[in-house]
Amino acid sequence: MIAWDRVTIAYPGAARPAVEGVSLGAARGALTAVVGPNGSGKSTLVRALLRRVPTRAGCVRVEGADVTGLSQRDLATRVAVVVQREEPAFPMRAIEYVALGRAPHAGAWGGDARGAHAVREAAAMAGVEDLLERRTDELSGGEWQRIRLARAIAQECNAIVLDEPTTFLDIAHEMAAFELLAGLARRGRAVLAVSHQLNLVSRFADRVVLLHRGTVAADGTPDEVMRASVLEAVYQWPLVVSRDPAVGAPTLVPLRRPTHHP
Amino acid sequence: MLVLVAVLGAAALVALAVGPVAIAPAELWRVLAGGADPVTRAIVLDVRAPRVALAVLVGASLGLSGGVLQGALRNPLAEPYLLGVSGGAAVGAVVVVSMGGTDPSLLALAAFGGGLAAVVVVIWVARASGFQADARVLLMAGVVVGAFANAVIMVLLAGAPAEAARGALWWMMGSLGAAEWRDVARLGLVLALAGPLLLHWARDLDALALGHDAAAALGVSPERAGRQLYLVASLLAAGTVAAAGLVGFVGLLVPHVARALAGARHRAILAVSSIAGATLVVGADLAARTVRAPSELPLGAVTAVIGVPFFLSLLRRMR
């Protein structure tokens, strides 16, 4: 569905490429998670998908088509992306924001037969119906995240990509968000989430891609990727991986560094 | 929306009736219906009507242009006159004035050319700043080009004869005193070209207001859309400067009023903004020519005097 094929991206003036020769895919019907330390290139891959950074080598394909050959609008009808940060320059009602997800589908002068229905449906799925009349500048960080998720669902694409969708969410909303993403995947969409929440990822994702300094350090099922030796090397921090008592998914426990008294 | 159009219509009728020679409503109606005596007809149709029509066009253009620029640059302070256009246009006009030129058409052409040159420089700088050229670069380049233009104007005026300096100053404060049907036709043409284009692109503004990455996710190429909108909105503003000099504050104030009235969708904001802008300038010009008649107040100052208290009260009520 979405495939990054040996992608190399270098920002102007940077000493090394932000990502180098990265290949990964997000298949339909699966929740794919991209994890890795800060600066490992996760968001750069998302921005390359949106054509916000040029690739030096390789390409990003959506449904087989190179994104650089698609119009920006075509791309937005195939993949719904929730970028890491966005803020309306002028506050609007939440429902108006969610309805922006319909923009790629609207006719030249705004005709969109499914629009209102899709917006209500997306709001129901994301559990934000009670927030729709609120102003975007009055939402909490977590409410805003959920509204943004609703916007992406309203876009009704076969693929959905989210850059850190659970930032600012409490435990219950974090779980609910991942349940929702897994549910979208079960219903046949390709779902890709960039996340720092390794323990959630290991419970929900079908596939985990671990990035390290712009390259793929590990790629496989949560069991294959969530190994202490791999994670310790990438995150440069002592940790143990155990099993969560409820469902037996691998669970990461970072350790405190022993204090040295020289 | 209908209410706004009605208010604009009423303001225009009042502006046609009021002046050194007051015209009764019944008489005004006879003129508009094609009757009345020749003197009254001449006052209404040759003196006041072009002035009112130009006020409508100037106000609508500035409201529209300001609404577009605030959305495209994601900045509530953006307005055509802050962004170099007015400065460039003023330089163009002042160059002509200081060389002794007085032909209104030449002046308008020079102003438009100066505004265009400023826009081209700003976009050229923004493009050169690289792939990530963003709203901030356009904004900063615009402000700096405007400041440069002001410096050039001061240098030009310092050496100009007093009469030329006074003419240039009056022009820089904005005036519809010299309005003729020719000016109305020129600005009408510019607005007829730019207006539908900007309204058509209004949906891109909705996405652009979220930031560049988010706009891209919604199917808008942010840099390209931003530059297109900036270019057309600025040319529209340059057209108003050529027609009426610098009528400040309309492009800043009116879009905020429109946003309070029309919600978040830019197509509605822009429509309301142009009607409200037209109403403000018609009212301000009426005040400019009647408050201290027979002498006139500078239009740009009147729009500010009316607009500032209104704007401040709006800010106070904004949450």
Side-chain angles (χ1 to χ4, degrees), chain A residues 47 52 86-87 89 107 155, chain B residues 74 131-132 203 209 213 223:
Chain A
R47 302 190 76 225
R52 299 293 299 148
E86 70 183 302
E87 193 188 350
Q155 215 166 324
Chain B
R74 292 170 49 78
F131 191 79
Q132 295 296 327
R203 215 183 36 204
D213 283 2
E223 281 86 9

Side-chain angles (χ1 to χ4, degrees), chain B residues 97-179:
Chain B
V97 170
S98 64
M99 290 190 314
T102 48
D103 177 28
S105 296
L106 182 64
L107 214 61
L109 192 69
F112 192 76
L116 181 67
V119 173
V120 167
V121 169
V122 170
I123 290 185
W124 171 72
V125 170
R127 273 191 82 103
S129 76
F131 191 79
Q132 295 296 327
D134 66 14
R136 274 173 310 182
V137 180
L138 279 177
L139 200 65
M140 285 191 289
V143 170
V144 171
V145 167
F148 181 78
N150 282 339
V152 172
I153 290 168
M154 284 191 269
V155 169
L156 285 173
L157 289 184
E163 194 51 38
R166 190 174 154 71
L169 188 64
W170 185 254
W171 185 84
M172 284 166 66
M173 293 189 294
S175 171
L176 291 167

